[in-house]
């Protein structure tokens, strides 16, 4: 049993690194460059989203590096995050494809950081001044916005041997709009009846099937979206890096097949008006 599992891990790692190795001989794809406008959602790539609510700028899981270790980006980031005045940074957890130190070092340090409780020291070291650590069901409020953390079904440890750490999802609202950012999660029924306007949902990194202990398939993501009773689902967490064995074209085909009109399938660099 141990040798069979080891052989499967070796096979998976070989396929993953071989697919990434081939990317070094191909040019990076060019994204769309649609502008960020008042009251909109713009997809920079992977789980990095720029949300504009009444000209307050919220950025989720900022990762714009061309490489994550030896893993090569498929598409250029649609935006240089240093070019916009970021008011709030939302971190779902500390994995390298969601919390990228080289990206964070360049972001304005006056932004209010909302993150799980285990990420205080990294943000202090990076020089951020306003750090708010939220456990599930805790909220941050100011005169512009309310952000509530929910528990994601995902191990938030940066490294497998690290201390246990939580992952957050977030509800973002300003009195007019209510947006759900799931971050990274396996299937859970924790998001029932959120009544959001938009749900930003992960749909990638679900193959082999064992990965669904930490990530959701497109079908599972859609099922969770329906539980939230949100009006619109925007799929993210794919099309940017090869992190598993699922293929983006299969993910898109699945989303098109299950779409009942409530899924807005967008490309990197596209802006959706609220």
């Amino acid at each position: 049993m141990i040798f069979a599992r080891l052989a499967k891990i070796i096979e998976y790692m070989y396929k993953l690194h071989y697919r990434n190795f081939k990317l070094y001989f191909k040019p990076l794809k060019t994204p769309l460059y649609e502008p960020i406008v008042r009251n909109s959602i713009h997809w920079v790539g992977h789980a990095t989203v720029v949300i504009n609510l009444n000209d307050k700028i919220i950025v989720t899981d900022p990762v714009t590096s061309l490489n994550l270790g030896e893993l090569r980006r498929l598409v250029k980031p649609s935006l240089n995050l240093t070019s916009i005045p970021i008011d709030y940074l939302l971190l779902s957890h500390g994995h390298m494809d969601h919390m990228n130190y080289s990206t964070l070092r360049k972001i304005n340090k006056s932004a209010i950081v909302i993150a799980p409780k285990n990420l205080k020291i990294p943000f202090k070291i990076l020089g951020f001044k306003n750090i708010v650590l939220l456990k599930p069901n805790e909220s941050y409020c100011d005169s512009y916005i309310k952000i509530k953390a929910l528990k994601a079904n995902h191990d938030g440890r940066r490294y497998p041997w690290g201390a246990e750490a939580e992952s957050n999802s977030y509800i973002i609202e300003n009195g007019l709009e209510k947006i759900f950012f799931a971050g990274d999660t396996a299937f859970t029924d924790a998001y029932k009846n959120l009544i959001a306007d938009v749900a930003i949902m992960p749909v990638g990194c679900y193959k082999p099937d064992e990965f669904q202990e930490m990530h959701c398939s497109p079908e599972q993501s859609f099922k969770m979206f329906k539980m939230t009773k949100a009006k619109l689902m925007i799929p993210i967490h794919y099309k940017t890096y090869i992190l598993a064995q699922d293929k983006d074209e299969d993910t898109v085909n699945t989303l098109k097949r299950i779409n009942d009109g409530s899924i807005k399938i967008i490309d990197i660099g596209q802006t959706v008006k609220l």
Side-chain angles (χ1 to χ4, degrees):
M1 180 68 73
I2 294 175
F3 289 109
R5 180 173 175 80
L6 181 60
K8 190 171 185 179
I9 292 172
I10 292 172
E11 180 186 11
Y12 162 72
M13 294 302 293
Y14 170 78
K15 289 180 178 178
L16 175 67
H17 290 293
Y18 181 67
R19 288 177 68 194
N20 274 278
F21 176 73
K22 292 193 294 183
L23 295 179
Y24 282 84
F25 299 94
K26 298 179 181 179
L28 289 172
K29 296 177 184 177
T30 300
L32 298 175
Y33 292 106
E34 293 185 356
I36 296 168
V37 296
R38 184 182 176 91
N39 295 325
S40 67
I41 295 172
H42 176 95
W43 188 24
V44 179
H46 200 52
T48 307
V49 175
V50 177
I51 302 169
N52 181 318
L53 290 180
N54 283 337
D55 290 331
K56 290 294 178 180
I57 302 297
I58 305 131
V59 175
T60 67
D61 292 350
V63 178
T64 57
S65 292
L66 299 185
N67 298 291
L68 294 179
E70 71 279 11
L71 304 183
R72 182 74 166 166
R73 198 176 182 104
L74 294 166
V75 184
K76 295 176 183 177
S78 65
L79 186 67
N80 180 353
L81 294 179
T82 64
S83 68
I84 58 173
I86 300 172
D87 297 293
Y88 307 91
L89 276 177
L90 265 60
L91 271 290
S92 62
H93 63 293
H95 284 169
M96 286 180 281
D97 61 318
H98 292 257
M99 182 181 183
N100 179 247
Y101 292 153
S102 63
T103 301
L104 288 167
R105 275 196 292 266
K106 301 169 188 174
I107 291 176
N108 60 291
K109 300 302 183 288
S110 61
I112 297 171
V113 176
I114 312 290
K117 61 181 181 179
N118 64 299
L119 296 181
K120 181 176 182 178
I121 293 175
F123 278 108
K124 282 285 188 183
I125 293 172
L126 286 165
F128 287 91
K129 311 299 182 185
N130 304 299
I131 304 168
V132 179
L133 305 177
L134 295 182
K135 298 178 182 178
N137 297 314
E138 292 182 340
S139 297
Y140 165 83
C141 296
D142 61 26
S143 57
Y144 301 104
I145 204 164
K146 177 181 177 182
I147 298 172
K148 181 180 179 180
L150 297 174
K151 182 176 175 58
N153 185 11
H154 192 74
D155 186 344
R157 289 180 291 185
R158 189 167 181 85
Y159 305 106
W161 55 85
E164 184 177 346
E166 292 177 334
S167 288
N168 286 345
S169 302
Y170 295 101
I171 303 170
I172 309 155
E173 53 186 316
N174 69 344
L176 297 174
E177 303 287 348
K178 189 174 182 180
I179 298 170
F180 173 59
F181 173 70
D184 207 351
T185 185
F187 181 79
T188 175
D189 62 1
Y191 310 134
K192 282 185 178 179
N193 300 320
L194 297 181
I195 321 292
D197 295 293
V198 179
I200 303 170
M201 302 293 298
V203 296
C205 206
Y206 56 91
K207 289 289 184 181
D209 290 344
E210 290 85 348
F211 273 42
Q212 292 175 31
E213 296 176 3
M214 290 258 289
H215 303 89
C216 56
S217 68
E219 295 94 338
Q220 291 168 337
S221 183
F222 185 62
K223 188 175 180 179
M224 287 189 289
F225 156 70
K226 285 297 188 181
M227 287 181 183
T228 69
K229 300 190 183 299
K231 300 172 186 176
L232 185 71
M233 169 177 163
I234 297 178
I236 62 164
H237 202 273
Y238 72 133
K239 294 186 178 182
T240 313
Y241 298 101
I242 297 175
L243 300 172
Q245 291 181 11
D246 45 293
K247 296 181 178 179
D248 291 331
E249 54 266 34
D250 295 335
T251 300
V252 171
N253 288 336
T254 299
L255 290 169
K256 288 179 178 178
R257 175 176 55 81
I258 64 178
N259 193 359
D260 62 357
S262 60
I263 304 176
K264 178 72 172 178
I265 303 171
I266 65 174
D267 289 317
I268 292 171
Q270 192 168 346
T271 298
V272 178
K273 294 182 180 179
L274 298 173

